[in-house]
Amino acid sequence: MKFCKTYQEFMQEQQKELPVVGFKKLKKILKKCRKTHQSQSQSQSLENSNSSRDNDNGEVVLQSSTSSSSTCPHQCPVCDGTFFSSLLNEMSAIVGCFNERAQKLLELHLASGFRKHLLWLKCKRPKSHSALIQEGKDLVTYAMINAIAVRKILKKYDKVHYSKQGQAFKSQAQSLHIEILQSPWLCELIAFHINLRETTGTSRTVPGLFEGFSLSLKDDKPSLSCSFFESIKLDVELTCSICLDTVFDSVSLTCGHIFCYMCACSSASVTIVDGLKAADPRAKCPLCREAGVYEGAVHLEELNILLSQSCREYWEERLQSERVERIKQAKEHWESQCRAFMGV
């Protein structure tokens, strides 16, 4: 079965109408582009063949013009005017929808007591644990299948144009934070499923758990992985590039890079009391050097639960050492606040 048909069938099966990649529309744009260029090339070839009667190199001119008639030029106004803008809007809508739904789902899962009952009533979902699991699985599938869809349509663009502009657009999408595999909520959903699977008896009693998720430890360095359709695999390294240790109390910056919370605060030159929202908008990610990535940082609660259960000794050691540092920073913060209040 062709991927386009598989994609359409999956989207039709979803209970809610979700943003999609407009495969047919984008293919029509590429087809129109090819036809337009072919007609232009044929008319040009005809002119060249007429003029070649008085030209000794006419045969070479004719061959060069016809050989390029099957592809579009690198800078194509027919495609570039509509293709990339349409795809950009679709990718933005898909990521926005995915992030919003994943955030609500995980908020509901992590809530407790009276607040959880309020959230159940507010979201109007079936009050079932298995329903949450199935929705999480559908969201991950939605993210992965759309990532494949974007990759395939960009490959089609590059094939038609004999260019690498499709790959360049992918890099642009990453810088705009609309690359769905870059979303921190995808990482959280993977951890969410592994946490449920590792719970005693859960895998036997709850149907629908996605078996493509795993947490692996190589040389004491953990990483999350998720495979889908045997054509795409997502690997998330869980080593903080600042302290070079397993991420502790992890946060994901808006650029997609994951750090320990205290390491991120140190990099942004803020205290843990003030938090990352107090970071200077010009502060840059230590890895990609992108500015303005701290204010929208996401605390990865599900990942923290997973690592605390998988690396218990390490987690306890870091907990003890960071407790001392947090108390120290909190004490310094309130002392400075008191001095400022008293005008000292």
Side-chain angles (χ1 to χ4, degrees):
M1 185 185 293
K2 287 188 176 181
F3 175 78
C4 185
K5 191 175 180 181
T6 305
Y7 181 75
Q8 288 174 347
E9 286 180 356
F10 170 79
M11 297 310 301
Q12 287 170 0
E13 288 171 2
Q14 301 308 299
Q15 294 179 353
K16 295 182 180 179
E17 191 173 336
L18 302 173
V20 298
V21 175
F23 253 109
K24 288 186 177 180
K25 181 180 70 176
L26 294 171
K27 281 186 174 181
K28 279 182 181 178
I29 294 172
L30 292 176
K31 194 173 181 181
K32 180 183 176 184
C33 169
R34 181 178 285 176
K35 283 182 177 178
T36 302
H37 184 64
Q38 280 179 347
S39 62
Q40 290 175 352
S41 297
Q42 285 171 3
S43 60
Q44 187 179 0
S45 298
L46 186 61
E47 290 175 7
N48 288 337
S49 62
N50 290 333
S51 62
S52 66
R53 293 172 185 174
D54 300 324
N55 190 338
D56 293 334
N57 297 324
E59 188 178 350
V60 176
V61 173
L62 181 60
Q63 287 176 353
S64 63
S65 62
T66 54
S67 64
S68 62
S69 63
S70 61
T71 62
C72 304
H74 292 292
Q75 298 296 330
C76 173
V78 180
C79 274
D80 298 348
T82 53
F83 180 87
F84 288 123
S85 59
S86 295
L87 185 56
L88 196 69
N89 291 334
E90 288 165 1
M91 288 177 69
S92 181
I94 288 167
V95 171
C97 174
F98 171 79
N99 287 346
E100 182 183 356
R101 291 187 64 191
Q103 187 174 359
K104 287 180 179 178
L105 173 71
L106 294 169
E107 184 182 10
L108 181 58
H109 177 247
L110 292 167
S112 59
F114 184 67
R115 184 168 178 269
K116 189 159 191 169
H117 288 291
L118 283 177
L119 288 172
W120 275 116
L121 292 170
K122 187 178 178 181
C123 66
K124 298 178 181 179
R125 284 184 174 91
K127 198 171 181 179
S128 163
H129 202 59
S130 59
L132 281 183
I133 294 170
Q134 186 59 46
E135 186 176 351
K137 177 183 174 182
D138 289 342
L139 276 173
V140 174
T141 307
Y142 175 72
M144 296 300 229
I145 203 169
N146 275 292
I148 296 171
V150 169
R151 187 179 67 180
K152 283 188 175 291
I153 200 66
L154 288 176
K155 273 189 176 181
K156 182 79 173 174
Y157 179 93
D158 283 346
K159 186 178 179 182
V160 169
H161 291 79
Y162 275 78
S163 73
K164 292 185 179 179
Q165 287 189 59
Q167 294 303 313
F169 173 80
K170 195 172 182 182
S171 299
Q172 182 190 356
Q174 288 176 346
S175 66
L176 294 171
H177 310 140
I178 57 171
E179 167 60 63
I180 199 162
L181 296 183
Q182 195 181 10
S183 171
W185 297 109
L186 181 57
C187 179
E188 276 286 83
L189 282 173
I190 295 172
F192 161 75
H193 273 270
I194 297 174
N195 286 335
L196 289 172
R197 191 176 63 206
E198 296 300 322
T199 304
T200 306
T202 299
S203 59
R204 294 194 185 103
T205 58
V206 181
L209 279 174
F210 201 174
E211 297 300 329
F213 302 139
S214 64
L215 173 70
S216 58
L217 287 167
K218 188 177 181 181
D219 299 327
D220 293 328
K221 301 293 182 183
S223 64
L224 282 179
S225 65
C226 176
S227 56
F228 186 72
F229 275 0
E230 298 183 356
S231 62
I232 189 167
K233 186 176 181 181
L234 176 67
D235 290 305
V236 183
E237 295 295 329
L238 300 177
T239 301
C240 176
S241 59
I242 297 176
C243 66
L244 302 179
D245 218 331
T246 300
V247 287
F248 178 83
D249 193 18
S250 55
V251 291
S252 174
L253 307 186
T254 55
C255 58
H257 293 120
I258 299 173
F259 302 96
C260 305
Y261 179 71
M262 285 193 68
C263 292
C265 287
S266 175
S267 174
S269 301
V270 294
T271 65
I272 57 172
V273 179
D274 293 327
L276 293 175
K277 289 187 183 295
D280 191 316
R282 294 170 294 180
K284 297 178 180 179
C285 168
L287 274 179
C288 64
R289 308 306 296 165
E290 183 181 342
V293 294
Y294 290 97
E295 187 178 357
V298 176
H299 221 109
L300 304 177
E301 299 287 356
E302 289 284 354
L303 180 61
N304 290 334
I305 293 170
L306 175 62
L307 290 174
S308 67
Q309 293 174 347
S310 304
C311 313
R312 292 182 187 275
E313 290 184 11
Y314 165 76
W315 205 261
E316 282 298 322
E317 288 175 9
R318 283 290 296 263
L319 197 63
Q320 294 299 326
S321 62
E322 292 216 356
R323 184 177 287 130
V324 174
E325 181 62 27
R326 284 171 185 262
I327 291 171
K328 179 184 173 184
Q329 286 196 28
K331 186 179 178 181
E332 290 174 352
H333 173 80
W334 290 114
E335 284 178 353
S336 65
Q337 291 291 313
C338 289
R339 286 196 296 269
F341 178 75
M342 298 176 69
V344 178

